[in-house]
Amino acid sequence: MSPQRKLELERLFIAALALVISAIFFWMIRDYLAALFLAAVLTIFLQKPQTWLTDKFGGRPGLAAGLLVTGSVLALVIPIGFLLGVIAEQAIEVTGLVAPWVQEQVTAIREEGLDGLPEWLPFREAIIEYQATVAAQLGNLAGTVGNILVSSLRAGTGGILIGTLNFFILIYALFFFLLKGRDMSRSAITLVPMMEKDRRMLAERAISTIRATVKGSFLIAIVQGSLTGLGLFVAGVPGAIFWGAIATLLSIIPMVGPPLIWIPAAIWLFLSGQTVPAIGLAAWGGIFISWSDNILRPILVGKDAKMSDLMVLISTLGGLTLFGAVGIILGPVIAALFSSVWFIFREAFAGLLEVDEEEEFEQQLKDAKDPPDEPTPGM
């Protein structure tokens, strides 16, 4: 076997071994990948303050990193913990209101039937015909509302250990990345077998997309959640803070979230006889809440991420489905890398993929004017 062939086989074996070991390693730490990813995202935003504080402290990066980590924990954990307490309290209140209300409607349906439904209601006759089934299903819903809450609390309690470990890993990884993140990223990117300009472009697209997604999506979520909670509070909907928090979470999904909260709330107000608050809430949601998404998202997300609204939407939804909560950021990053990789592919194979359209068009004109001579019969 020639030395060149032996070298190629050795490189192939090393590459395969690296991929297998890496796959096993990532599978082993899969429960903590989200914490590591979030630490890396926070590092991107804290890198400039880290450099500034290091200079101010006379070249002591450890002190600067420790101060930034402590400040980040105090700035995020305390307000979020307080807000979660209020949300949990209102969640219990909402659950206590929803179950009796549904049971009351079920009882009314069983006693009076559905003949009192308004004439304009779609599928009114079909609903009346199947009123027994409707009543039974509403009864089941009322019976399971409490069970859903209890099951959610149990699931959250069961994940306390993993959550605690993830929190400490997040804190330590953030401190470590602030100290060593730049050197690690430079070393990691050199492992990508591409030209320097292509590697740099991939890294810049990933970082710019992360910045755009975090700044844009989360700012939009806070704005829309606040507007939704304010509208519900003014309209007199119980648990406005709780529903506003739910709208904040749903707002991360482009063009979908808050209407899932304020539209049913407006319908509930209308069916409860509160016509003016229902109309006001619907107008508030349709004008201010929805348009805030239409105005802010293209400016904050699509522009910096250099992706269309459609790409942002499908990548966010796909990321949520595949990776969970961190997919909100990871989905658009993968979409940005997808478009960048195909741009690099086009550049690498430009000579094979591109056709001189002008020359092709002139050749077609020439063939049309001077068709090839047909063979004479008998020759």
Side-chain angles (χ1 to χ4, degrees):
M1 183 181 295
S2 64
Q4 181 65 27
R5 181 62 176 168
K6 291 178 63 176
L7 180 61
E8 292 177 356
L9 288 176
E10 182 180 355
R11 288 177 174 174
L12 180 62
F13 173 77
I14 293 174
L17 182 63
L19 291 176
V20 170
I21 297 298
S22 298
I24 296 174
F25 174 76
F26 283 114
W27 178 80
M28 180 178 66
I29 65 169
R30 63 190 182 279
D31 289 334
Y32 312 108
L33 287 175
L36 294 173
F37 179 73
L38 291 177
V41 170
L42 289 174
T43 303
I44 292 175
F45 289 92
L46 295 177
Q47 199 62 250
K48 289 184 178 180
Q50 164 73 9
T51 303
W52 184 80
L53 284 176
T54 300
D55 294 337
K56 291 296 181 180
F57 292 150
R60 289 183 285 181
L63 179 60
L67 183 62
L68 282 175
V69 171
T70 303
S72 300
V73 171
L74 294 177
L76 293 176
V77 173
I78 294 178
I80 290 177
F82 175 77
L83 183 60
L84 287 177
V86 176
I87 292 172
E89 181 180 351
Q90 291 205 354
I92 297 174
E93 177 186 349
V94 169
T95 304
L97 292 174
V98 169
W101 182 81
V102 173
Q103 190 61 49
E104 180 183 345
Q105 304 306 312
V106 172
T107 303
I109 291 173
R110 288 174 176 171
E111 293 178 355
E112 304 175 6
L114 297 174
D115 296 328
L117 292 174
E119 297 290 339
W120 51 264
L121 186 68
F123 310 108
R124 178 178 181 275
E125 299 300 327
I127 295 175
I128 293 176
E129 182 179 354
Y130 295 100
Q131 58 181 307
T133 304
V134 173
Q137 294 300 323
L138 289 176
N140 294 334
L141 175 63
T144 56
V145 167
N147 294 332
I148 292 174
L149 179 61
V150 173
S151 299
S152 300
L153 291 176
R154 286 177 179 173
T157 304
I160 287 179
L161 177 59
I162 295 296
T164 304
L165 290 175
N166 270 296
F167 176 75
F168 284 107
I169 289 174
L170 171 64
I171 298 302
Y172 182 76
L174 178 59
F175 178 80
F176 182 81
F177 289 161
L178 285 173
L179 291 178
K180 305 292 185 179
R182 286 183 176 176
D183 295 334
M184 291 175 60
S185 60
R186 291 192 189 102
S187 299
I189 199 171
T190 58
L191 299 176
V192 180
M194 289 183 177
M195 297 178 62
E196 176 64 24
K197 64 181 184 65
D198 294 333
R199 291 188 302 207
R200 187 179 298 276
M201 185 183 71
L202 287 178
E204 290 176 352
R205 286 298 303 273
I207 293 174
S208 65
T209 303
I210 289 174
R211 286 173 176 165
T213 303
V214 173
K215 290 190 300 184
S217 296
F218 284 91
L219 178 60
I220 293 169
I222 292 173
V223 170
Q224 289 198 309
S226 301
L227 290 175
T228 303
L230 178 62
L232 296 174
F233 176 78
V234 173
V237 177
I241 297 178
F242 168 74
W243 293 118
I246 299 299
T248 301
L249 296 177
L250 295 175
S251 297
I252 296 174
I253 305 175
M255 299 176 287
V256 175
L260 297 177
I261 301 298
W262 61 262
I263 290 178
I267 294 174
W268 176 77
L269 288 171
F270 182 78
L271 295 178
S272 301
Q274 305 179 58
T275 306
V276 174
I279 296 175
L281 180 59
W284 176 263
I287 297 174
F288 293 99
I289 300 176
S290 296
W291 274 101
S292 66
D293 181 83
N294 297 334
I295 294 173
L296 294 176
R297 193 172 298 277
I299 296 174
L300 298 175
V301 180
K303 181 180 179 181
D304 290 339
K306 297 180 177 63
M307 290 191 295
S308 64
D309 293 343
L310 176 62
M311 182 66 82
V312 173
L313 172 62
I314 61 176
S315 62
T316 303
L317 294 176
L320 280 170
T321 303
L322 187 59
F323 302 107
V326 295
I328 297 169
I329 304 172
L330 196 53
V333 170
I334 293 175
L337 294 178
F338 168 80
S339 60
S340 299
V341 166
W342 280 106
F343 175 79
I344 294 172
F345 178 87
R346 180 182 178 86
E347 292 294 313
F349 295 90
L352 297 176
L353 299 176
E354 295 180 358
V355 178
D356 194 330
E357 297 181 358
E358 184 177 352
E359 291 184 2
E360 183 180 4
F361 181 68
E362 290 178 355
Q363 183 63 39
Q364 290 176 355
L365 288 179
K366 183 178 179 181
D367 292 341
K369 293 179 179 179
D370 303 318
D373 296 335
E374 297 182 358
T376 304
M379 294 184 62

